[in-house]
Amino acid sequence: MKLSAALVFSILLCLQSLSFAQAEQSIQIRNLTEGVWLHTSTYTYPNAVKFPSNGLIVQDGKELILIDTAWGELQTVELLKAIESQINLPVTTAIVTHAHGDRAAGIDVLESVGIKVTSHPLTQRITKEHGLPVPNNVFTNLATPRSTTRVGKLEVIFPGPAHAMDNLLVWLPDEKILFGGCAIRAISATSAGNTAHGDIESWIEVMEFLRNQYKSATTVIPGHGEVGGIELIDHTAHLAEASR
């Protein structure tokens, strides 16, 4: 029996209530500047280590664009509830920046409530291969490295393979904010992290491209950890070079 989207979302809401009734709120929304918010979810590993993951919420007119899901279905449900209560504008569009669980695990939740989810063409294929939710839409014009496209007020960038073969970045030209996702490491990071699904040599070249193309950035957001400035690009390049 096929469940309706509304019923699926209702079930997820019930599960979310049961799972988080006694827990601290796992979603944080922080205002960065007018019309731009950072959303952070937390994944707890089996060894009880908690690891935060960053995404972005951007106001575009009377609607919101969501960059990346929260880390898991239930946390994505919680994220949508937090957006509704704290921002009170509808999320109509979402961009998934690559095919890992910290970016894509909540795709089905978003699509079940009518949010259009779009990714790099490879993300659609890789999520399917890895058993993750599959985005219904792709940026067909972002297949080539260094290509860009517009989504409302945003510029979506495919700089080339780096942390992942399909990693996208997002540039907010008016605010000078660069969302690097997992292609950018926080200043506290001491290694390049998970490189199993990426390309180290290309990653180093991507950092050079970003350094030249987006040198006016005043805020740079890594996939995990604290927000910084343009120094995060140099730091990421150093870590990538060290992992050769």
Side-chain angles (χ1 to χ4, degrees), residues 35-148:
V36 183
W37 299 263
L38 181 76
H39 72 79
T40 304
S41 55
T42 302
Y43 183 82
T44 303
Y45 285 97
N47 62 359
V49 172
K50 295 183 177 181
F51 200 57
S53 181
N54 297 324
L56 211 59
I57 306 161
V58 180
Q59 183 175 350
D60 191 32
K62 296 183 179 180
E63 300 176 344
L64 299 174
I65 301 171
L66 181 67
I67 313 301
D68 287 329
T69 78
W71 202 337
E73 289 186 336
L74 295 180
Q75 290 199 83
T76 301
V77 172
E78 188 181 353
L79 172 61
L80 292 180
K81 289 176 67 179
I83 290 171
E84 182 179 10
S85 65
Q86 296 180 42
I87 303 175
N88 195 29
L89 288 172
V91 178
T92 58
T93 302
I95 298 165
V96 168
T97 59
H98 65 274
H100 284 162
D102 55 343
R103 310 288 125 197
I107 287 173
D108 284 351
V109 172
L110 302 182
E111 292 182 342
S112 75
V113 294
I115 297 170
K116 181 181 179 181
V117 182
T118 310
S119 71
H120 188 278
L122 277 177
T123 305
Q124 196 174 60
R125 190 193 81 193
I126 296 169
T127 50
K128 188 179 298 183
E129 290 174 351
H130 292 180
L132 286 166
V134 181
N136 285 336
N137 307 279
V138 299
F139 294 111
T140 56
N141 55 348
L142 290 185
T144 305
R146 313 296 192 262
S147 54
T148 64

Side-chain angles (χ1 to χ4, degrees), residues 1-17:
M1 179 178 66
K2 186 175 180 180
L3 300 178
S4 69
L7 181 56
V8 169
F9 191 62
S10 296
I11 291 170
L12 286 168
L13 280 173
C14 291
L15 290 172
Q16 187 266 351
S17 297

Side-chain angles (χ1 to χ4, degrees), residues 194-237:
N194 178 12
T195 60
H197 304 133
D199 183 325
I200 291 295
E201 295 303 322
S202 176
W203 197 348
I204 295 168
E205 294 174 2
V206 163
M207 291 303 103
E208 182 65 23
F209 164 72
L210 296 179
R211 187 185 294 114
N212 294 329
Q213 192 71 21
Y214 300 97
K215 57 189 174 184
S216 63
T218 56
T219 303
V220 178
I221 303 170
H224 306 276
E226 286 300 313
V227 172
I230 202 75
E231 72 279 358
L232 295 191
I233 294 175
D234 289 331
H235 180 61
T236 302

